[in-house]
Amino acid sequence: MNKTNTKSEIELSSKAKNKPLIFALFMIGLSLITLQATSIEIVFPIAFCIIFFSLYAFNKNLKVFKFSEHHFVFQAGIIGKKEVSYSALKSYVVERKVMIITYQTPNEKEKKIRIQVSQIEPTQFPLLEDILKSKIRF
């Protein structure tokens, strides 16, 4: 494998990055409507707005896959970072717009990583497939 592929990164698609921003803008509109109320109801849309803006800020720089020399790191969101060795990779398949990557844990359990194809930038999807094909040993 050449030097250009040893430090590759796959980004979250722009559509997936902007979903929290759309929800946050919706919550701002909802909070403007509830401004007329004098009860505690206004707190909920504002709280959700803050949460969605935070998710948007995090997703802007999110790299779903980070490939290094001996392993890759998968992180589709704030929580749930997985590090998988290339030697543990078993297979990958794309079914119904979902990519399923199968790998084996050190204690011989088979696990799967599932990610929607729409969450991966379309221009980077062929790179992801090429890297996975080159690293899976049959």
Side-chain angles (χ1 to χ4, degrees), residues 78-131:
I78 294 174
I79 302 171
K81 195 176 205 179
K82 293 180 185 174
E83 188 174 309
V84 179
S85 171
Y86 293 133
S87 60
L89 284 174
K90 301 291 253 177
S91 65
Y92 85 95
V93 66
V94 178
E95 294 178 348
R96 298 184 192 151
K97 300 179 184 179
V98 175
M99 177 179 260
I100 302 169
I101 302 170
T102 307
Y103 66 97
Q104 194 168 11
T105 61
N107 57 358
E108 303 297 321
K109 278 189 172 178
E110 196 171 273
K111 295 231 176 181
K112 295 181 181 187
I113 294 173
R114 290 179 173 85
I115 184 166
Q116 291 183 351
V117 174
S118 63
Q119 288 190 316
I120 300 170
E121 194 65 46
T123 57
Q124 293 183 335
F125 192 75
L127 173 66
L128 175 61
E129 285 189 315
D130 289 344
I131 291 173

Side-chain angles (χ1 to χ4, degrees), residues 47-97:
F48 282 117
C49 179
I50 292 169
I51 290 169
F52 286 125
F53 269 127
S54 301
L55 285 173
Y56 171 70
F58 179 78
N59 284 348
K60 274 179 50 175
N61 299 321
L62 180 67
K63 307 295 184 206
V64 181
F65 288 95
K66 291 181 186 176
F67 296 97
S68 66
E69 205 167 313
H70 301 290
H71 67 279
F72 72 89
V73 176
F74 171 75
Q75 184 175 10
I78 294 174
I79 302 171
K81 195 176 205 179
K82 293 180 185 174
E83 188 174 309
V84 179
S85 171
Y86 293 133
S87 60
L89 284 174
K90 301 291 253 177
S91 65
Y92 85 95
V93 66
V94 178
E95 294 178 348
R96 298 184 192 151
K97 300 179 184 179

